[in-house]
Amino acid sequence: MEYWSMITEILSLLLLVVLILNLNYKRRVLTPAVRCFWAGLFLTAFCIVWNLFCILLIRHGGAVPYQFLVFVNTAYFILVVLSGSLIALFVFEKMLEHVYDDHCIKRARRMLGGLTLIYTAVVFLNLRYGFLFWFDREGGYHRGPLNVLGYGIVVAELGLMYLCYFKHRVSISKEMKRTIKLFPPVVLLLIVLQISDQELLLNGMIAAFVELILFLAFHSQKMGYDSITGLGNRDTFFSDLELRTAGDQPFQVLLITLTDFNGINTRCGHQVGNEFLYSAASWLEDSRTDVSVYRYIGVTYAVIMPCLPEEQSMAYRKLLQDRFEEDWTLGAYSEKLQAVFGSYLSAGEPHNANQVMEALDYMLSVMKRSDQPWVDFDRTLSSQMVRRRKISQLLKEAVEQQGFEVWYQPVYCWKIRSFCSAEALVRMKDRDGGYVSPAEFIPVAEASGMIGEIFWFVLKEVCRLISGGQIALPDGISINLSMTQLEDPDLDAKIMEVVAEYGLSPEQIKFEITEEQLSSHPVIAGDTLRKMLRRGFRFYLDDFGIGYSNAAAVAKYQFEYIKLDKSLVGEIATDDRSRLLVRNLIHMFRDLGMGVIAEGVETAEQLACLTELDVEKIQGFYYAKPMDGQKLIGFLRGYGSDRR
Ligand code: C2E
Ligand code: CA
Ligand code: CA
């Protein structure tokens, strides 16, 4: 009869209990791999308890009915191989997680299932032949000649893992690579120890060590996972992309960005907001078995999945769109998570993870501005992105080499029948000597933070021109402000410093802002505006008449002039209703104590309409196109001498 010390099994059990207590039940999204790991962990712990029970029974073998002894031990042999196979299955699931070949994982499952079945059959045959173990009439336990067969199964499974590993190593994660180097040697060492010293009981320890290594690699709360959604974060997403691109596998990435999440946070509070984020993450994880979901950034999820046939792809798109049009319910809260979707297909030219990230970031910026529910990263978007990259590069060079110029467009004033002010418009040279439109590079400069450099350069150039004393513009020169400047709480003091440095006073410089800027950050922009007004600077409201125009917002701040956008001006000569609208707007602005500048005036007909409507100031190609500072000096001089 054998006498085993139970201490190793008890220690292993304690170790497993610690792991079980540390499982992150609430936050984990239950993927098949997670389920498999949890099941393996619980079954292993149960096996150890069962084994301890077996040992106690064997110690009192004579007093226990023979059939019961056989049943309990037979069950143990089956449980051990089942728990071992579950652990192995988890390793396969994790190993093949980034390999889009369904056959591999199916083959692995079949092989594991086959080995488990064979061994189970052997355990049942053992009841008759006793080649694993048998009991004598006194209840004494004896090992059979094939007692170590179970370890043979473990070694066979390890062999399969290595085969799989070498076949797919380019697409196997770093964690898995580390794990696969660590646990097989530990397992083999413990098996050798167990076989060479029959007094030891190491089965529980083998399983517990493997579980510990896997837990540390994949399930501990570690960097790379978002604590709110339980999803991998942007870094983990990037590592996933690196593996997929290294393996040259076709795949697609869908981005889902929530468009009005601030509203939910305000209505329900941040805690409930987080729970909504978690619900959506879980739903996305469950939406298909072959998706990996990440928290890409903020309230944007990324879903990586295989390229699907057209029909399936459309069906999945519909599923996503439909779900995000329905309510999400959390206790008493029910909210719609409005979303915009983007789709990026990797099939095509080879690319690396950085290039994919750049494309996704660009697609996301387009999604945020889009009024369509889906944005596809197609050829048009791709060439826009390339152009944007070029602009970004040109901007960087222009900032480094002072490559900007400031041009000026004179503004004609009816009251004095002369040019009374000008708008400063920045220019940037292309590599081939042409100019890039500011309408194209200003948004890139705003997004990349380079707008600050441009603004200060323009301000200093304008101050230099005015302080040179060669131009006489009674209402000064206006400069366009971006949101980034309005966010600076010390903007008024900094501008004042520059203006004073050139010996100018605030009324010589005007600032143009759009209503979009005011309404996107009303508090910050409003504060800056008020501080500057107090210092004596005056503002023009730019681009009135496009998109955002809201007459109520105009009344909130004291603008010196409202600039009617060229889209509005363009229609007044041909459309009676537009003329009527502009007439009423002008009356309203005048009642509020604000003047009107009409922008984009190109024709004599437009001018005739505007003078009839009594618009004070006119800016447009009809009078002058933007020109550099030297030309402006000449233009104003020439106009002065030509005046009748
Ligand atoms: P904006 O502030 O509305 O400037 C007026 C734009 O309309 C200028 O284009 C000007 O050349 C153009 N324009 C003037 N008269 C006419 C006309 O009769 N017909 C037509 N078709 N266009 C006319 P530009 O210089 O290309 O500037 C485009 C936009 O870039 C500006 O629109 C402004 O939003 C931005 N921008 C230009 N310079 C700066 C700057 O220094 N800072 C910032 N933040 N933005 C700037
Ligand atoms: Ca402007
Ligand atoms: Ca404008």
Side-chain angles (χ1 to χ4, degrees), residues 423 425 480 512 542-543 563 599:
E423 177 176 3
L425 294 158
N480 292 285
E512 300 193 6
D542 204 358
D543 299 344
K563 296 187 78 171
E599 266 195 303

Side-chain angles (χ1 to χ4, degrees), residues 30-33 35 93 96-97 99-100 102 105-106 109 244 283-293 303-306 308 312 316 319:
L30 285 178
T31 60
R35 286 200 183 102
E93 294 271 358
L96 297 172
E97 195 177 25
V99 179
Y100 281 136
D102 255 5
I105 189 69
K106 280 187 186 148
R109 285 180 196 146
R244 285 170 212 258
W283 184 86
L284 285 168
E285 288 258 5
D286 284 343
S287 59
R288 278 183 72 93
T289 50
D290 53 3
V291 294
S292 305
V293 186
V303 176
I304 310 190
M305 59 196 294
L308 301 175
Q312 278 187 41
Y316 187 60
L319 177 81

Side-chain angles (χ1 to χ4, degrees), residues 4-66:
W4 296 294
S5 158
M6 297 201 282
I7 190 71
T8 47
E9 289 290 273
I10 291 172
L11 286 177
S12 308
L13 182 61
L14 286 177
L15 179 62
L16 289 175
V17 170
V18 172
L19 295 188
I20 287 171
L21 292 177
N22 276 284
L23 281 176
N24 190 3
Y25 298 99
K26 244 184 124 182
R27 289 290 177 217
R28 275 248 155 224
V29 179
L30 285 178
T31 60
V34 172
R35 286 200 183 102
C36 191
F37 182 76
W38 287 9
L41 201 55
F42 281 102
L43 191 60
T44 310
F46 182 68
C47 266
I48 296 181
V49 174
W50 194 271
N51 195 22
L52 292 172
F53 180 52
C54 289
I55 295 165
L56 284 176
L57 289 184
I58 288 170
R59 280 192 188 166
H60 305 93
V64 181
Y66 174 82

Side-chain angles (χ1 to χ4, degrees), residues 256-267:
I256 298 139
T257 191
L258 306 180
T259 48
D260 183 31
F261 202 70
N262 273 345
I264 292 183
N265 275 336
T266 316
R267 282 191 292 280

Side-chain angles (χ1 to χ4, degrees), residues 2 31 74 111 138 159 191 210 260 262 309 334 338 471 519 570 582:
E2 311 267 356
T31 60
T74 301
M111 283 187 174
E138 285 76 43
I191 289 178
V210 174
D260 183 31
N262 273 345
S334 203
Q338 280 169 15
I471 54 159
S519 49
V582 171

Side-chain angles (χ1 to χ4, degrees), residues 16 125 134 229 231 241 281 369 373 417 433 435 465 544:
L16 289 175
L125 286 174
W134 53 279
T229 56
L231 299 175
L241 273 186
R369 282 179 276 124
R417 307 242 159 189
Y435 288 95
L465 182 71
F544 189 90

Side-chain angles (χ1 to χ4, degrees), residues 121-134 144-146:
V122 172
V123 176
F124 279 115
L125 286 174
N126 177 67
L127 293 173
R128 185 183 168 100
Y129 300 106
F131 31 57
L132 295 176
F133 67 89
W134 53 279
L146 293 183

